[in-house]
Amino acid sequence: MYFTQHFWELLFQGIRLGSLYALIAIGYTMVYGVLQLINFAHSEVFMSGALGGVFMLTALAGTNGNIPSGFSAFEYTALALIAGAVVSAAVAFSLERVAYRPLRKRHAPKLVYLITAIGASIFLYNLAGKLFGRNNLQVPESFHSGPVFVLPGTGPSGPRTVKTLDVLIIVTAFVMMVVLDLVINRTKLGSGIRAVAQDAETAQLMGVDVGKVISRTFIIGGLLAGVGGVLYAMFHAVSYTMGFIPGIKAFTAAVLGGIGNVRGAMLGGLLLGIVESFSQGIIPNGLEWVDVVSFVVLVVVLLIRPTGILGERTGRAA
Amino acid sequence: MSTTSISELSAQVRRLRKQDAWWKNPMLGRLAIIEALVLVLSILTNQVQGSSSDYTLLFKSSWFSSRGAEYVIGGVLIWIIAEAWRIQGLRRLAGQTVDVAGRRIAIILPRSFTRQYARLTAFIRWLIPNRWFRRVLLLAVVAVAIFLPYLGLFTLPYFQSVLAGQVGVYVLAALGLNVVVGWAGLLDLGYIAFFAIGAYTTAILSGKLPVGADGNPEAHPPIHLNLFFAFPIAVVLTMTAGLILGAPTLRLRGDYLAIVTLGFHEIVLQLAKNNPHNLTNGPLGATGISTFRFNLFDVHYDWNPTDSKPYWFLAIGLILIVVFAFRRLEHSKVGRTWTAIREDEVAAAASGVPTVKYKLMAFMIGASTSGFAGVLATAKITAITPDNFPLQLSIFVLAYVIFGGMGSLIGVIVGASLMTFLPFFLQGPPSWFNSGKPVVDPKDIPMWVGAVLLTMMIFRPQGLIPSKRRAQELAQAEHGVGDADAMTEPAEGVAP
């Protein structure tokens, strides 16, 4: 049977995809924590990060097909990741400044927030389409992705090997998540974020600058989404509409883990990636139905356990 | 008043606010904001489209060119005028006279004019709420709408087609979404999914789907119906779809509905593209869908896709029926229940209102109206593919409702007509712009719609022609009195 034959390959694919979902889901869950808002424009933050990384790579490596090696490969990759993170953080920051802050200042109702978010999302991705063309962008390779080790079982074209790119994606994602977890739990900013998530008014009375905390939450979410975007761009098509599907998936992951709960978002992302990957192996023509599967997962989770696996924990130590 | 001059005063204020550093100067800050806006605008209004091979193309053509210079200078001019205006206002506040070139300037209107003006405003104030005036006005507007295809611009087949296929259809759709967003206070981002269900139902009922193995539709499908019968069937189907989707999600916090409906739209599109059991014919869709026929009491009439006028008359008729029904609904027990839920869901639930049931009702009514509009649209365009129902369209219809004023029937009709008509007007029919370029590239329209949503929400959330009640709710909610949406989680143990 296909699934049992390819179990390890599918599991690995799932972890690779899931770790990216987790990176994006953290942005959703943190913003939800502090603003109680589904930030629909977060998928555009992710997209802009991918674009930033691709532009950086194009500027450094060019599109002539030469793959850098040695130290320059490391340097280019690192610079692309940093560029993506910075661009995403800038977009997320200005999004909060331009769109959400005026609403927050006048205590707008939730419906207004949600419509603003969806308006910002559609505006941003169409603006990106206008700026950088509506075709898929060429992504230059920043390093030669050679095999690292071989997975058990056989793939469609011989045994499936784990490549450098896969290792890079998973290691970067996990390092980011661990650092974030430390930031949330150990630093002053982290306790500020937790305080605002728990009760913004009381936090303000205790001397927390709520505006600053919210804007830094957006920046952190943007940084993670930007890194996720660049990593995603390394094995996936890049265009102005690329953010939508991963965005919805990541939101599903955040709900799956328990919205507002940062560790929940990480767990939910990984789980969703694995479920998706397995469904490709189990369902015939699975690739066509992947999106349907993750949507069904979302509805089922909402039906059975709307608070997610680890529970909604807006505010409590994540 | 004291003789302190404005510049001294503002210097004192700046010192108090510690804004003495030049980069903290609010005046320069305003200049920076205006210039940033102007630079963004110069990109938005540029007809050039970016390319994926040269990322800097659009920046070069809109900033580092004469166009950029014009926009920057324009921004500076706007800033100078705005600052002058501000200073005038401050002077007036400080009780100082306005001196222009050493002369005092005052505009004094003749007394007769002011008296006439007062009389006029009093008359208008009496006229507007007058019931008979409103009825006559309504009749006049409907009459003009009916005869629109014979007037001026609209005699062109291009604009007739826009009227029937865009304005009519989306006014109908927006009216339905108004029930969900405007009255029940829920956010439905997958509204066009129901529209697509209606459209595919129409295609199946008219015998063009599912196609046979040889791709010939005529050989296989079982049903050939007059499309008027598609309306009730589509309504029933979309209502059921709304029930299946809404029943689990409406029990939860309101914002989950938004994301679930968004996902639902994507799923419907995927289903249409994946072609299960050859039902939807995949990306090719259906072509040659028959249109409406009327055969009753020896009166025979066939709607013909080449002539848009009959479709427009049909659309007007349907819109009138729907508006009449919704007006009754708005002031019925159901409508008042929606208001109660919107304004304070917990209180409504505590007073014994089955909130989930009423929210579900609104969601289903919205869904069925969307399916209704889908049938109408399909009969007009006679060919559908999954690409006819992009996700953006759902958000467009939301934008029509928001722009017009959610909760207000007139507002929604005006908003939807304006926002569907304007893009096509700006592109113009092929005959207008065969020589030159179109004014607005149709590819940029989604971007402008997003911008409209954003600016409306930031500056005028109640919309162009707001519903009085809805506007008040929005304003009060901002002062912490009640809600303006049904987004709170139903209180545990209270809601059924």
Side-chain angles (χ1 to χ4, degrees):
Chain A
M1 200 188 140
Y2 183 85
F3 175 66
T4 41
Q5 266 176 7
H6 296 76
F7 176 78
W8 291 105
E9 186 190 337
L10 290 172
L11 181 69
F12 185 77
Q13 251 182 37
I15 293 176
R16 185 180 73 170
L17 194 62
S19 54
L20 292 186
Y21 287 162
L23 279 185
I24 315 170
I26 288 168
Y28 275 107
T29 224
M30 284 178 69
V31 167
Y32 198 93
V34 293
L35 278 184
Q36 277 79 50
L37 159 78
I38 301 176
N39 182 10
F40 282 106
H42 194 61
S43 49
E44 270 52 63
V45 171
F46 165 78
M47 178 268 294
S48 59
L51 292 186
V54 170
F55 293 159
M56 185 52 120
L57 277 183
T58 316
L60 290 171
T63 44
N64 50 10
N66 296 336
I67 301 172
S69 58
F71 180 70
S72 59
F74 173 77
E75 187 193 338
Y76 289 179
T77 313
L79 280 177
L81 286 175
I82 291 170
V86 168
V87 169
S88 270
V91 170
F93 172 77
S94 36
L95 181 72
E96 197 268 333
R97 262 296 155 88
V98 174
Y100 301 141
R101 186 162 288 192
L103 304 183
R104 200 169 60 77
K105 272 191 179 161
R106 54 165 221 249
H107 307 289
K110 214 169 182 181
L111 185 67
V112 172
Y113 265 108
L114 280 174
I115 297 169
T116 311
I118 199 82
S121 165
I122 188 170
F123 174 72
L124 282 177
Y125 82 74
N126 284 295
L127 181 64
K130 183 176 173 64
L131 282 176
F132 309 119
R134 290 176 174 83
N135 305 323
N136 282 355
L137 302 184
Q138 252 195 326
V139 187
E141 280 180 81
S142 64
F143 56 87
H144 180 70
S145 186
V148 180
F149 59 89
V150 181
L151 285 169
T154 48
S157 51
R160 171 79 159 89
T161 53
V162 171
K163 292 186 171 167
T164 328
L165 176 62
D166 305 329
V167 175
L168 172 82
I169 289 174
I170 294 175
V171 168
T172 318
F174 274 87
V175 168
M176 296 288 289
M177 285 189 252
V178 169
V179 170
L180 176 81
D181 204 70
L182 291 177
V183 167
I184 297 265
N185 287 317
R186 300 281 169 83
T187 64
K188 206 176 162 190
L189 173 64
S191 60
I193 291 174
R194 280 180 284 137
V196 172
Q198 201 164 14
D199 188 337
E201 268 177 37
T202 313
Q204 194 158 26
L205 291 175
M206 302 297 160
V208 178
D209 187 340
V210 176
K212 211 176 254 179
V213 166
I214 287 176
S215 121
R216 283 182 189 168
T217 309
F218 271 86
I219 290 177
I220 293 176
L223 287 174
L224 294 176
V227 170
V230 180
L231 294 175
Y232 191 79
M234 287 177 177
F235 71 103
H236 222 278
V238 175
S239 73
Y240 71 112
T241 51
M242 69 180 279
F244 177 69
I245 295 285
I248 283 203
K249 301 267 177 76
F251 179 78
T252 306
V255 174
L256 187 62
I259 195 141
N261 186 330
V262 175
R263 281 182 192 164
M266 300 173 190
L267 179 70
L270 284 175
L271 266 182
L272 189 71
I274 291 169
V275 165
E276 225 174 64
S277 177
F278 280 3
S279 71
Q280 279 179 38
I282 293 170
I283 303 169
N285 272 339
L287 207 58
E288 287 178 357
W289 297 100
V290 166
D291 298 343
V292 182
V293 167
S294 45
F295 174 72
V296 170
V297 168
L298 173 66
V299 172
V300 169
V301 170
L302 288 178
L303 267 176
I304 298 171
R305 196 175 158 79
T307 49
I309 296 169
L310 296 187
E312 287 177 24
R313 302 185 65 167
T314 44
R316 270 154 281 171
Chain B
M1 288 299 294
S2 70
T3 50
T4 329
S5 78
I6 287 296
S7 55
E8 270 175 55
L9 259 177
S10 59
Q12 276 175 13
V13 169
R14 275 210 295 282
R15 263 199 299 283
L16 280 172
R17 288 185 183 164
K18 294 182 181 164
Q19 282 169 334
D20 44 350
W22 68 267
W23 67 86
K24 284 183 180 172
N25 187 334
M27 219 183 223
L28 290 178
R30 286 193 289 270
L31 177 65
I33 289 171
I34 288 176
E35 287 300 332
L37 275 180
V38 158
L39 285 178
V40 171
L41 260 183
S42 80
I43 284 184
L44 296 191
T45 54
N46 200 335
Q47 281 175 19
V48 180
Q49 297 288 334
S51 86
S52 45
S53 53
D54 181 10
Y55 306 135
T56 53
L57 178 73
L58 204 68
F59 295 104
K60 275 189 281 189
S61 89
S62 45
W63 289 356
F64 305 107
S65 63
S66 60
R67 178 188 174 79
E70 283 164 22
Y71 270 77
V72 168
I73 293 167
V76 172
L77 285 179
I78 292 173
W79 174 71
I80 289 171
I81 293 169
E83 290 302 323
W85 191 269
R86 257 183 85 82
I87 288 172
Q88 297 280 10
L90 284 179
R91 285 222 171 126
R92 219 167 293 142
L93 274 181
Q96 292 174 354
T97 52
V98 181
D99 294 329
V100 176
R103 267 184 226 165
R104 274 183 68 176
I105 288 189
I107 300 162
I108 298 163
L109 292 169
R111 182 167 290 174
S112 59
F113 179 84
T114 50
R115 202 178 293 151
Q116 293 291 335
Y117 183 74
R119 238 178 245 166
L120 190 69
T121 48
F123 178 66
I124 290 171
R125 226 170 280 150
W126 168 81
L127 196 63
I128 296 288
N130 186 299
R131 196 189 290 167
W132 282 104
F133 172 74
R134 288 190 153 213
R135 282 177 191 171
V136 170
L137 189 70
L138 194 70
L139 269 181
V141 168
V142 171
V144 169
I146 288 173
F147 290 107
L148 207 54
Y150 300 102
L151 304 174
L153 201 68
F154 296 99
T155 47
L156 286 172
Y158 171 85
F159 282 114
Q160 285 177 358
S161 174
V162 169
L163 272 187
Q166 299 286 326
V167 177
V169 167
Y170 290 112
V171 164
L172 203 55
L175 281 170
L177 188 60
N178 177 47
V179 175
V180 184
V181 179
W183 290 345
L186 301 162
L187 188 53
D188 182 355
L189 294 177
Y191 190 66
I192 289 299
F194 301 110
F195 192 88
I197 292 175
Y200 273 98
T201 309
T202 316
I204 289 168
L205 291 181
S206 79
K208 297 299 167 187
L209 286 176
V211 289
D214 53 347
N216 179 9
E218 300 299 338
H220 186 32
I223 317 166
H224 293 267
L225 270 183
N226 184 340
L227 280 197
F228 277 115
F229 292 107
F231 281 120
I233 297 172
V235 164
V236 169
L237 271 178
T238 44
M239 266 199 173
T240 317
L243 180 70
I244 293 170
L245 189 67
T249 37
L250 282 170
R251 284 165 206 286
L252 305 165
R253 212 173 346 194
D255 40 13
Y256 282 154
L257 184 72
I259 196 102
V260 168
T261 46
L262 196 64
F264 176 67
H265 192 152
E266 188 60 29
I267 298 317
V268 168
L269 284 186
Q270 287 279 335
L271 280 175
K273 278 179 192 158
N274 290 353
N275 194 14
H277 305 294
N278 267 343
L279 195 64
T280 60
N281 201 17
L284 295 176
T287 49
I289 297 163
S290 61
T291 68
F292 300 111
R293 286 189 300 271
F294 191 84
N295 281 315
L296 208 60
F297 309 123
D298 279 339
V299 182
H300 303 288
Y301 188 76
D302 278 18
W303 270 258
N304 183 355
T306 49
D307 183 13
S308 304
K309 286 195 286 286
Y311 288 97
W312 170 245
F313 300 141
L314 184 65
I316 292 249
L318 294 176
I319 290 170
L320 283 179
I321 294 171
V322 167
V323 166
F324 178 74
F326 281 2
R327 245 190 97 75
R328 306 280 299 172
L329 198 62
E330 186 185 3
H331 299 292
S332 71
K333 185 190 162 201
V334 179
R336 281 179 279 128
T337 310
W338 286 333
T339 310
I341 293 174
R342 211 167 62 206
E343 290 183 355
D344 197 333
E345 197 171 352
V346 177
S351 317
V353 173
T355 51
V356 175
K357 188 177 130 194
Y358 278 94
K359 285 199 279 184
L360 193 57
M361 197 187 279
F363 192 67
M364 283 164 70
I365 290 173
S368 59
T369 317
S370 183
F372 206 73
V375 176
L376 185 66
T378 314
K380 169 73 179 67
I381 52 179
T382 67
I384 51 167
T385 67
D387 293 336
N388 282 43
F389 315 103
L391 204 97
Q392 287 178 347
L393 208 53
S394 282
I395 294 160
F396 280 17
V397 180
L398 178 70
Y400 305 156
V401 174
I402 300 299
F403 179 70
M406 47 184 166
S408 132
L409 287 174
I410 298 174
V412 168
I413 292 172
V414 171
S417 332
L418 275 182
M419 275 189 77
T420 43
F421 180 67
L422 264 183
F424 288 94
F425 178 71
L426 292 178
Q427 285 166 49
S431 61
W432 282 13
F433 292 104
N434 269 342
S435 47
K437 276 184 173 179
V439 179
V440 170
D441 196 314
K443 287 194 208 111
D444 288 344
I445 287 167
M447 184 183 72
W448 286 109
V449 171
V452 164
L453 271 181
L454 260 182
T455 34
M456 286 306 275
M457 278 301 113
I458 294 174
F459 296 108
R460 198 179 160 84
Q462 69 271 37
L464 205 63
I465 307 174
S467 131
K468 234 183 237 169
R469 179 141 204 154
R470 209 76 178 80
Q472 207 172 13
E473 278 169 21
L474 284 168
Q476 280 187 347
E478 291 179 1
H479 288 96
V481 182
D483 284 326
D485 50 39
M487 293 280 169
T488 44
E489 205 164 2
E492 219 164 297
V494 178

